[in-house]
Amino acid sequence: MTIIEPAAGPVLPPDVDERTFRAAIAAFGDAIGDENVHVDDEHVRPYDDRFPVTDGDEFRPSAVLWPGSTEDVQAIVRIANEHLIPLHAFSTGMNLGYGGSAPRVAGSVLLHLGKRMNRVLEIDERLAYAVVEPGVDYASLYRAVQDSGAKLMIDPTELDWGSPLGNTLDHGVGYTPYAAHAMWRCGMEVVLADGSVLRTGMGGMPNSDAWHLYQGGLGPSVEGLFEQSNYGICTRMGIQLMPAPPESLSFVISFENEEDLAAIMDTTLPLRIGMAPLQAAPIVRNVTFDAACVSTRDHWYDGEGPLPREAYQAMMTELDLGYWNVYGTCYGPRWLIDRYIEMIRDAYLAIPGARFDTTETVTPGTPRAELLAARDQLNNGIPNRHSSAVFDWFPNAGHFFYAPVSSPSGEDAAAQFADTKRISDSYEIDYLAQFIIGLREMHHICLPLFDTADPDSRARTLEMTRELIRAGAERGYGIYRAHNVLADQVADTYSFGDHAQRRFNERIKDALDPNGILNPGKSGIWPARLRGRGL
Ligand code: EUG
């Protein structure tokens, strides 16, 4: 990795000299207004990754642009082509743990789409969908739906500041029955690298009313090509929404032992795969993650080294939780909820030591009740930022994500837990995690936390995360979404057929973006111009 000496002026992109850069900035100003083009530190530094990986300039942008329309984005892309300026497009830039709004390539010009393009363009209650621009976040989509009076439920992510459009493009998931965001996106408008605009699916017909109703159309489905890629800039998206259920009831089930994980998973799959009685993706959280949502680390332990056994015991006792805690929600008329709850309760209570509560039986005022209430909100489409308390687990805490996907079997969960816990312990880094169980896969979301102000802590945590990726890949566990600094390593693990996926991605990249100006390096996809240059 090249370390560029901190310079007085902006960090310049590869192959671009100061003169060319200045000319491009002037042209951007002419196109979208000087007030929407910024090169000064005061405007650019706030876009640094809030959880920085390095002290250097490897992920430092040169400027930021605030387009106000699809036409602005088209104009920007044309200018970027002319001057070979790499653009780093993002929606709200809150991709914390995955690089925030920092670009992969130093000197890139940030394209903060959400700054001004933040309208909810449409809410259709009867057909149950919304159309959003990149800057709409979960909190504002929730408010817009409420204000419209539509009886629809959105599917928020863990934290309310993310963008539904951006999260969907990054394969995010939520916790209501709709959960897998890419399943419910329908109809995109995309600015391509040549400045032209593509409308996908039925949007190819100038007068279809089914753009946001049917994912097909004629010919190949291309929306997936714009997810986790750098093939185009999505400026609007249809998102289908679930009609709000008449009632719901949330539950928490606690399990005493680390070893219970396999039984929890094997109990979960048959309840989940038929979409009932587990109608939404349940989560299986470890007590450290729950503790970090309601307390700080020094409350449990203030010595050196990893959390001792007594600290875990204290968390479980004081918070009234198990080592593993399953959270979920049932939806429908009350009689149906009651039947589903019985089925779920009976299945999990077969695991010795399990304890089951609903929002109606949990003791009010306890941390157990607080944690369940936060899940109950999310699972009912009400965004919050309860889990952001993990950023205060210790002073200056930031994190990476290590998020492998696998079968939701007890065996795979136990193997992942054993590897991850062993490696975390060896680096003396806390294991905070939650499994999210989809219909036939699970995401194991681990948060390797580090002290953002301590270069040694950052370096050690990065090294550990790289080791987790290697160890997981040996067993066939693939990362589903990668931080800037990890993307190349993760892309390398998708190696079947002598890296057939990489070659396929590169061919598409070079065909659509011959000058390599759009988000170069995203997901390990490099354009020909910048390939193999050790950037
Ligand atoms: C979460 C889930 C994710 C992810 C990052 C965070 C939830 C956090 C399913 O993917 O990538 C607790």
Side-chain angles (χ1 to χ4, degrees), residues 95-96 98 157-159 167 170-175 283 285 289 375 387 399 401 403 433-434 436 443-447 480-481:
N95 211 12
L96 298 184
Y98 292 113
T157 45
E158 195 75 29
L159 299 170
N167 185 271
D170 244 23
H171 290 169
V173 309
Y175 309 100
I283 63 169
R285 271 194 183 200
F289 195 162
R375 303 318 301 178
S387 299
H399 67 89
F401 275 117
Q434 83 183 21
I436 307 175
H443 288 60
H444 178 193
I445 307 297
C446 304
L447 288 78
Y480 97 101
R481 182 171 173 187

mmCIF file of all heavy atoms in Angstrom, residues 95-96 98 157-159 167 170-175 283 285 289 375 387 399 401 403 433-434 436 443-447 480-481, ligand 1:
data_model
loop_
_atom_site.group_PDB
_atom_site.id
_atom_site.type_symbol
_atom_site.label_atom_id
_atom_site.label_comp_id
_atom_site.label_asym_id
_atom_site.label_seq_id
_atom_site.Cartn_x
_atom_site.Cartn_y
_atom_site.Cartn_z
ATOM 1 N N ASN A 95 -21.948 4.101 6.363
ATOM 2 C CA ASN A 95 -21.636 2.677 6.257
ATOM 3 C C ASN A 95 -20.579 2.293 7.292
ATOM 4 O O ASN A 95 -19.545 1.704 6.964
ATOM 5 C CB ASN A 95 -21.143 2.410 4.832
ATOM 6 C CG ASN A 95 -21.472 1.024 4.343
ATOM 7 O OD1 ASN A 95 -22.262 0.306 4.953
ATOM 8 N ND2 ASN A 95 -20.851 0.633 3.247
ATOM 9 N N LEU A 96 -20.855 2.621 8.548
ATOM 10 C CA LEU A 96 -19.848 2.458 9.606
ATOM 11 C C LEU A 96 -19.466 0.988 9.764
ATOM 12 O O LEU A 96 -20.322 0.117 9.779
ATOM 13 C CB LEU A 96 -20.384 2.998 10.935
ATOM 14 C CG LEU A 96 -20.717 4.500 10.962
ATOM 15 C CD1 LEU A 96 -21.148 4.920 12.357
ATOM 16 C CD2 LEU A 96 -19.526 5.320 10.502
ATOM 17 N N TYR A 98 -17.774 -0.471 7.569
ATOM 18 C CA TYR A 98 -17.433 -0.865 6.202
ATOM 19 C C TYR A 98 -16.661 0.249 5.486
ATOM 20 O O TYR A 98 -16.526 0.239 4.275
ATOM 21 C CB TYR A 98 -18.695 -1.225 5.418
ATOM 22 C CG TYR A 98 -19.375 -2.485 5.911
ATOM 23 C CD1 TYR A 98 -20.623 -2.446 6.520
ATOM 24 C CD2 TYR A 98 -18.753 -3.716 5.778
ATOM 25 C CE1 TYR A 98 -21.240 -3.598 6.977
ATOM 26 C CE2 TYR A 98 -19.365 -4.881 6.229
ATOM 27 C CZ TYR A 98 -20.595 -4.819 6.822
ATOM 28 O OH TYR A 98 -21.200 -5.972 7.273
ATOM 29 N N THR A 157 -32.903 -1.059 9.290
ATOM 30 C CA THR A 157 -31.680 -1.742 9.709
ATOM 31 C C THR A 157 -31.421 -1.411 11.176
ATOM 32 O O THR A 157 -32.177 -0.669 11.805
ATOM 33 C CB THR A 157 -30.493 -1.265 8.867
ATOM 34 O OG1 THR A 157 -30.555 0.145 8.784
ATOM 35 C CG2 THR A 157 -30.554 -1.858 7.479
ATOM 36 N N GLU A 158 -30.317 -1.929 11.679
ATOM 37 C CA GLU A 158 -29.992 -1.775 13.097
ATOM 38 C C GLU A 158 -30.001 -0.302 13.532
ATOM 39 O O GLU A 158 -30.442 0.026 14.621
ATOM 40 C CB GLU A 158 -28.609 -2.397 13.335
ATOM 41 C CG GLU A 158 -28.256 -2.640 14.766
ATOM 42 C CD GLU A 158 -28.978 -3.837 15.389
ATOM 43 O OE1 GLU A 158 -29.331 -4.792 14.685
ATOM 44 O OE2 GLU A 158 -29.180 -3.789 16.609
ATOM 45 N N LEU A 159 -29.475 0.591 12.667
ATOM 46 C CA LEU A 159 -29.371 2.008 13.034
ATOM 47 C C LEU A 159 -30.131 2.850 12.022
ATOM 48 O O LEU A 159 -30.084 2.590 10.823
ATOM 49 C CB LEU A 159 -27.896 2.417 13.109
ATOM 50 C CG LEU A 159 -27.089 1.636 14.164
ATOM 51 C CD1 LEU A 159 -25.598 1.911 14.036
ATOM 52 C CD2 LEU A 159 -27.570 1.962 15.573
ATOM 53 N N ASN A 167 -28.429 0.912 1.577
ATOM 54 C CA ASN A 167 -28.355 -0.360 2.277
ATOM 55 C C ASN A 167 -28.750 -1.519 1.369
ATOM 56 O O ASN A 167 -28.142 -2.586 1.397
ATOM 57 C CB ASN A 167 -29.247 -0.317 3.526
ATOM 58 C CG ASN A 167 -29.113 -1.579 4.349
ATOM 59 O OD1 ASN A 167 -29.831 -2.545 4.122
ATOM 60 N ND2 ASN A 167 -28.171 -1.597 5.283
ATOM 61 N N ASP A 170 -26.081 -2.460 -0.889
ATOM 62 C CA ASP A 170 -24.989 -3.148 -0.206
ATOM 63 C C ASP A 170 -25.436 -4.484 0.402
ATOM 64 O O ASP A 170 -24.746 -5.043 1.247
ATOM 65 C CB ASP A 170 -24.386 -2.236 0.871
ATOM 66 C CG ASP A 170 -22.930 -1.896 0.568
ATOM 67 O OD1 ASP A 170 -22.541 -1.979 -0.617
ATOM 68 O OD2 ASP A 170 -22.186 -1.571 1.509
ATOM 69 N N HIS A 171 -26.604 -4.984 -0.012
ATOM 70 C CA HIS A 171 -27.122 -6.288 0.438
ATOM 71 C C HIS A 171 -27.438 -6.335 1.929
ATOM 72 O O HIS A 171 -27.252 -7.376 2.573
ATOM 73 C CB HIS A 171 -26.137 -7.424 0.092
ATOM 74 C CG HIS A 171 -26.053 -7.692 -1.372
ATOM 75 N ND1 HIS A 171 -25.095 -8.492 -1.939
ATOM 76 C CD2 HIS A 171 -26.807 -7.253 -2.398
ATOM 77 C CE1 HIS A 171 -25.264 -8.545 -3.245
ATOM 78 N NE2 HIS A 171 -26.296 -7.793 -3.543
ATOM 79 N N GLY A 172 -27.919 -5.201 2.452
ATOM 80 C CA GLY A 172 -28.270 -5.155 3.865
ATOM 81 C C GLY A 172 -29.514 -5.974 4.173
ATOM 82 O O GLY A 172 -30.249 -6.404 3.274
ATOM 83 N N VAL A 173 -29.722 -6.198 5.460
ATOM 84 C CA VAL A 173 -30.913 -6.922 5.899
ATOM 85 C C VAL A 173 -31.568 -6.201 7.072
ATOM 86 O O VAL A 173 -30.930 -5.448 7.792
ATOM 87 C CB VAL A 173 -30.614 -8.383 6.317
ATOM 88 C CG1 VAL A 173 -29.831 -9.123 5.252
ATOM 89 C CG2 VAL A 173 -29.889 -8.452 7.653
ATOM 90 N N GLY A 174 -32.859 -6.462 7.249
ATOM 91 C CA GLY A 174 -33.597 -5.949 8.391
ATOM 92 C C GLY A 174 -34.216 -7.107 9.148
ATOM 93 O O GLY A 174 -33.832 -8.264 8.946
ATOM 94 N N TYR A 175 -35.200 -6.799 9.997
ATOM 95 C CA TYR A 175 -35.690 -7.803 10.952
ATOM 96 C C TYR A 175 -37.195 -8.025 10.890
ATOM 97 O O TYR A 175 -37.748 -8.730 11.709
ATOM 98 C CB TYR A 175 -35.279 -7.387 12.367
ATOM 99 C CG TYR A 175 -33.805 -7.054 12.484
ATOM 100 C CD1 TYR A 175 -33.356 -5.734 12.470
ATOM 101 C CD2 TYR A 175 -32.855 -8.065 12.590
ATOM 102 C CE1 TYR A 175 -32.006 -5.433 12.574
ATOM 103 C CE2 TYR A 175 -31.502 -7.776 12.692
ATOM 104 C CZ TYR A 175 -31.083 -6.463 12.681
ATOM 105 O OH TYR A 175 -29.752 -6.176 12.778
ATOM 106 N N ILE A 283 -32.796 -13.058 15.581
ATOM 107 C CA ILE A 283 -31.368 -12.876 15.832
ATOM 108 C C ILE A 283 -30.972 -13.687 17.052
ATOM 109 O O ILE A 283 -31.779 -13.894 17.961
ATOM 110 C CB ILE A 283 -30.971 -11.400 16.013
ATOM 111 C CG1 ILE A 283 -31.653 -10.774 17.231
ATOM 112 C CG2 ILE A 283 -31.278 -10.607 14.751
ATOM 113 C CD1 ILE A 283 -31.084 -9.414 17.598
ATOM 114 N N ARG A 285 -28.039 -13.342 19.719
ATOM 115 C CA ARG A 285 -26.980 -12.423 20.139
ATOM 116 C C ARG A 285 -26.215 -12.961 21.309
ATOM 117 O O ARG A 285 -26.818 -13.556 22.209
ATOM 118 C CB ARG A 285 -27.604 -11.117 20.638
ATOM 119 C CG ARG A 285 -27.823 -10.111 19.610
ATOM 120 C CD ARG A 285 -28.094 -8.794 20.330
ATOM 121 N NE ARG A 285 -28.390 -7.812 19.328
ATOM 122 C CZ ARG A 285 -28.301 -6.509 19.510
ATOM 123 N NH1 ARG A 285 -27.953 -6.020 20.671
ATOM 124 N NH2 ARG A 285 -28.566 -5.677 18.537
ATOM 125 N N PHE A 289 -22.613 -8.447 23.306
ATOM 126 C CA PHE A 289 -23.243 -7.466 22.424
ATOM 127 C C PHE A 289 -24.412 -6.788 23.148
ATOM 128 O O PHE A 289 -24.542 -5.558 23.150
ATOM 129 C CB PHE A 289 -23.714 -8.158 21.142
ATOM 130 C CG PHE A 289 -24.064 -7.220 20.003
ATOM 131 C CD1 PHE A 289 -24.134 -7.697 18.701
ATOM 132 C CD2 PHE A 289 -24.316 -5.868 20.213
ATOM 133 C CE1 PHE A 289 -24.452 -6.843 17.647
ATOM 134 C CE2 PHE A 289 -24.641 -5.015 19.157
ATOM 135 C CZ PHE A 289 -24.710 -5.511 17.880
ATOM 136 N N ARG A 375 -35.750 -4.149 20.281
ATOM 137 C CA ARG A 375 -35.962 -5.110 19.184
ATOM 138 C C ARG A 375 -37.404 -5.031 18.702
ATOM 139 O O ARG A 375 -37.679 -5.122 17.503
ATOM 140 C CB ARG A 375 -35.681 -6.550 19.622
ATOM 141 C CG ARG A 375 -34.322 -6.877 20.179
ATOM 142 C CD ARG A 375 -33.154 -6.263 19.481
ATOM 143 N NE ARG A 375 -33.006 -6.577 18.084
ATOM 144 C CZ ARG A 375 -32.048 -6.074 17.309
ATOM 145 N NH1 ARG A 375 -31.147 -5.241 17.805
ATOM 146 N NH2 ARG A 375 -31.973 -6.380 16.037
ATOM 147 N N SER A 387 -28.708 0.334 19.370
ATOM 148 C CA SER A 387 -27.450 -0.428 19.342
ATOM 149 C C SER A 387 -26.216 0.453 19.168
ATOM 150 O O SER A 387 -25.094 -0.038 19.306
ATOM 151 C CB SER A 387 -27.466 -1.460 18.214
ATOM 152 O OG SER A 387 -28.499 -2.385 18.400
ATOM 153 N N HIS A 399 -15.255 0.069 15.022
ATOM 154 C CA HIS A 399 -15.205 -1.367 14.721
ATOM 155 C C HIS A 399 -15.121 -1.641 13.233
ATOM 156 O O HIS A 399 -15.448 -0.798 12.401
ATOM 157 C CB HIS A 399 -16.429 -2.078 15.302
ATOM 158 C CG HIS A 399 -17.724 -1.669 14.643
ATOM 159 N ND1 HIS A 399 -18.236 -2.283 13.532
ATOM 160 C CD2 HIS A 399 -18.606 -0.674 14.943
ATOM 161 C CE1 HIS A 399 -19.371 -1.705 13.182
ATOM 162 N NE2 HIS A 399 -19.620 -0.723 14.017
ATOM 163 N N PHE A 401 -16.452 -4.879 10.537
ATOM 164 C CA PHE A 401 -17.370 -6.008 10.578
ATOM 165 C C PHE A 401 -16.653 -7.213 10.002
ATOM 166 O O PHE A 401 -15.923 -7.104 9.023
ATOM 167 C CB PHE A 401 -18.631 -5.751 9.729
ATOM 168 C CG PHE A 401 -19.706 -4.991 10.435
ATOM 169 C CD1 PHE A 401 -20.100 -3.735 9.982
ATOM 170 C CD2 PHE A 401 -20.351 -5.519 11.528
ATOM 171 C CE1 PHE A 401 -21.103 -3.028 10.619
ATOM 172 C CE2 PHE A 401 -21.356 -4.821 12.180
ATOM 173 C CZ PHE A 401 -21.735 -3.577 11.725
ATOM 174 N N ALA A 403 -18.295 -10.539 8.686
ATOM 175 C CA ALA A 403 -19.667 -11.011 8.478
ATOM 176 C C ALA A 403 -19.732 -12.145 7.455
ATOM 177 O O ALA A 403 -20.073 -11.935 6.295
ATOM 178 C CB ALA A 403 -20.551 -9.841 8.049
ATOM 179 N N ALA A 433 -21.245 -10.404 18.906
ATOM 180 C CA ALA A 433 -21.786 -10.930 17.655
ATOM 181 C C ALA A 433 -23.274 -11.170 17.710
ATOM 182 O O ALA A 433 -23.857 -11.346 18.788
ATOM 183 C CB ALA A 433 -21.086 -12.233 17.305
ATOM 184 N N GLN A 434 -23.875 -11.159 16.523
ATOM 185 C CA GLN A 434 -25.240 -11.659 16.405
ATOM 186 C C GLN A 434 -25.376 -12.427 15.102
ATOM 187 O O GLN A 434 -24.829 -12.038 14.074
ATOM 188 C CB GLN A 434 -26.267 -10.528 16.532
ATOM 189 C CG GLN A 434 -26.562 -9.722 15.305
ATOM 190 C CD GLN A 434 -27.546 -8.582 15.589
ATOM 191 O OE1 GLN A 434 -27.728 -8.155 16.718
ATOM 192 N NE2 GLN A 434 -28.182 -8.088 14.563
ATOM 193 N N ILE A 436 -28.000 -13.665 12.278
ATOM 194 C CA ILE A 436 -29.319 -13.322 11.740
ATOM 195 C C ILE A 436 -29.719 -14.470 10.826
ATOM 196 O O ILE A 436 -28.961 -14.808 9.907
ATOM 197 C CB ILE A 436 -29.274 -12.001 10.936
ATOM 198 C CG1 ILE A 436 -28.647 -10.881 11.780
ATOM 199 C CG2 ILE A 436 -30.672 -11.603 10.478
ATOM 200 C CD1 ILE A 436 -28.445 -9.576 11.019
ATOM 201 N N HIS A 443 -26.352 -14.949 8.516
ATOM 202 C CA HIS A 443 -25.268 -13.981 8.562
ATOM 203 C C HIS A 443 -24.725 -14.005 9.991
ATOM 204 O O HIS A 443 -25.503 -13.875 10.930
ATOM 205 C CB HIS A 443 -25.786 -12.564 8.308
ATOM 206 C CG HIS A 443 -26.198 -12.274 6.901
ATOM 207 N ND1 HIS A 443 -27.189 -12.951 6.242
ATOM 208 C CD2 HIS A 443 -25.749 -11.339 6.024
ATOM 209 C CE1 HIS A 443 -27.332 -12.437 5.017
ATOM 210 N NE2 HIS A 443 -26.469 -11.462 4.867
ATOM 211 N N HIS A 444 -23.432 -14.182 10.128
ATOM 212 C CA HIS A 444 -22.798 -14.116 11.450
ATOM 213 C C HIS A 444 -22.112 -12.752 11.509
ATOM 214 O O HIS A 444 -21.085 -12.534 10.865
ATOM 215 C CB HIS A 444 -21.780 -15.261 11.565
ATOM 216 C CG HIS A 444 -21.024 -15.295 12.862
ATOM 217 N ND1 HIS A 444 -19.903 -16.075 13.025
ATOM 218 C CD2 HIS A 444 -21.209 -14.677 14.048
ATOM 219 C CE1 HIS A 444 -19.427 -15.934 14.254
ATOM 220 N NE2 HIS A 444 -20.190 -15.087 14.897
ATOM 221 N N ILE A 445 -22.746 -11.823 12.210
ATOM 222 C CA ILE A 445 -22.251 -10.444 12.231
ATOM 223 C C ILE A 445 -21.371 -10.250 13.460
ATOM 224 O O ILE A 445 -21.873 -10.230 14.585
ATOM 225 C CB ILE A 445 -23.432 -9.453 12.290
ATOM 226 C CG1 ILE A 445 -24.452 -9.714 11.180
ATOM 227 C CG2 ILE A 445 -22.917 -8.018 12.240
ATOM 228 C CD1 ILE A 445 -23.952 -9.547 9.787
ATOM 229 N N CYS A 446 -20.062 -10.122 13.254
ATOM 230 C CA CYS A 446 -19.128 -9.894 14.373
ATOM 231 C C CYS A 446 -18.603 -8.466 14.297
ATOM 232 O O CYS A 446 -18.337 -7.956 13.213
ATOM 233 C CB CYS A 446 -17.932 -10.822 14.289
ATOM 234 S SG CYS A 446 -18.366 -12.540 14.222
ATOM 235 N N LEU A 447 -18.460 -7.858 15.447
ATOM 236 C CA LEU A 447 -17.946 -6.484 15.498
ATOM 237 C C LEU A 447 -16.588 -6.463 16.207
ATOM 238 O O LEU A 447 -16.534 -6.286 17.421
ATOM 239 C CB LEU A 447 -18.897 -5.566 16.274
ATOM 240 C CG LEU A 447 -20.216 -5.180 15.651
ATOM 241 C CD1 LEU A 447 -21.229 -6.294 15.769
ATOM 242 C CD2 LEU A 447 -20.762 -3.911 16.297
ATOM 243 N N TYR A 480 -19.887 -11.421 3.239
ATOM 244 C CA TYR A 480 -20.936 -10.961 2.319
ATOM 245 C C TYR A 480 -20.820 -9.478 1.975
ATOM 246 O O TYR A 480 -21.552 -8.991 1.112
ATOM 247 C CB TYR A 480 -22.319 -11.283 2.906
ATOM 248 C CG TYR A 480 -22.978 -10.154 3.646
ATOM 249 C CD1 TYR A 480 -23.982 -9.387 3.037
ATOM 250 C CD2 TYR A 480 -22.592 -9.818 4.930
ATOM 251 C CE1 TYR A 480 -24.578 -8.337 3.695
ATOM 252 C CE2 TYR A 480 -23.188 -8.768 5.600
ATOM 253 C CZ TYR A 480 -24.179 -8.035 4.976
ATOM 254 O OH TYR A 480 -24.761 -6.980 5.628
ATOM 255 N N ARG A 481 -19.893 -8.757 2.618
ATOM 256 C CA ARG A 481 -19.823 -7.302 2.427
ATOM 257 C C ARG A 481 -18.511 -6.856 3.047
ATOM 258 O O ARG A 481 -18.221 -7.240 4.185
ATOM 259 C CB ARG A 481 -20.998 -6.696 3.182
ATOM 260 C CG ARG A 481 -21.187 -5.217 3.113
ATOM 261 C CD ARG A 481 -22.539 -4.957 3.762
ATOM 262 N NE ARG A 481 -22.848 -3.572 3.948
ATOM 263 C CZ ARG A 481 -23.916 -3.136 4.621
ATOM 264 N NH1 ARG A 481 -24.742 -3.998 5.181
ATOM 265 N NH2 ARG A 481 -24.164 -1.863 4.737
HETATM 266 C C1 EUG B 1 -25.683 -5.737 11.042
HETATM 267 C C2 EUG B 1 -26.123 -6.618 10.092
HETATM 268 C C3 EUG B 1 -25.431 -6.736 8.921
HETATM 269 C C4 EUG B 1 -24.309 -5.987 8.712
HETATM 270 C C5 EUG B 1 -23.885 -5.100 9.638
HETATM 271 C C6 EUG B 1 -24.588 -4.982 10.803
HETATM 272 C C7 EUG B 1 -26.344 -5.657 12.296
HETATM 273 C C8 EUG B 1 -25.676 -5.175 13.346
HETATM 274 C C9 EUG B 1 -26.762 -8.410 7.964
HETATM 275 O O1 EUG B 1 -25.735 -7.566 7.923
HETATM 276 O O2 EUG B 1 -23.638 -6.164 7.556
HETATM 277 C C10 EUG B 1 -25.870 -5.588 14.658
#
